[in-house]
Amino acid sequence: MMQQSRFMVICILGLMMVACAGRTSIQVESSVYRVQAELEQVGLGKRPIVLTITTPTGAPVVGAQVEILPIMEQHGMLSPPLTLQETAPGVYMHPELDLTMSGEWQLKLAITRADDRRELILPVVIE
């Protein structure tokens, strides 16, 4: 019975790893913001992107204007800029980040609050 239980746990963990494979979490920080991005890393085309933006102390950043400009420098490619919508305090989302080629992308992130605009780069590799 113990061996069957152990086997089941290993199978469940394996399925969870397969289900999570291809999703990535990227974190970048500045002196003003901490940003965690969640997105699908596998395949070309459109995918949702979710950003959680906080202050360095962990407070959610609310009411910001958040834009992303996807850039693939080695091929001189730009995808259209996106404006993300705030879906919860400090959580910003867009359903259709369009990455049209495999390889290294830079997501140029602009966060604007009041008169303050900060830019950060989120590095992404699409398989």
Side-chain angles (χ1 to χ4, degrees):
M1 186 68 162
M2 180 67 111
Q3 288 181 339
Q4 287 179 332
S5 296
R6 189 176 301 151
F7 178 73
M8 289 297 291
V9 168
I10 290 170
C11 288
I12 290 169
L13 289 174
L15 288 172
M16 288 172 55
M17 288 172 60
V18 169
C20 294
R23 280 198 74 71
T24 191
S25 179
I26 304 160
Q27 196 167 13
V28 294
E29 291 186 40
S30 73
S31 60
V32 179
Y33 299 115
R34 180 179 296 149
V35 178
Q36 183 162 340
E38 301 284 336
L39 74 150
E40 193 69 30
Q41 209 175 358
V42 177
L44 305 178
K46 296 177 181 173
R47 75 213 61 230
I49 183 166
V50 177
L51 303 180
T52 301
I53 305 174
T54 62
T55 65
T57 61
V61 172
V62 296
Q65 180 180 349
V66 180
E67 298 172 324
I68 289 181
L69 178 62
I71 302 167
M72 186 179 229
E73 287 188 353
Q74 66 265 39
H75 294 288
M77 294 182 63
L78 292 173
S79 286
L82 302 173
T83 301
L84 284 72
Q85 300 299 312
E86 189 170 9
T87 59
V91 179
Y92 297 82
M93 187 261 195
H94 195 284
E96 296 186 342
L97 172 65
D98 194 7
L99 302 177
T100 57
M101 225 177 163
S102 296
E104 297 176 18
W105 287 83
Q106 292 184 352
L107 304 181
K108 185 176 180 183
L109 174 63
I111 303 170
T112 306
R113 289 175 63 191
D115 293 333
D116 184 52
R117 179 182 171 97
R118 304 290 171 135
E119 294 183 350
L120 297 116
I121 300 293
L122 297 167
V124 175
V125 176
I126 298 300
E127 300 170 358

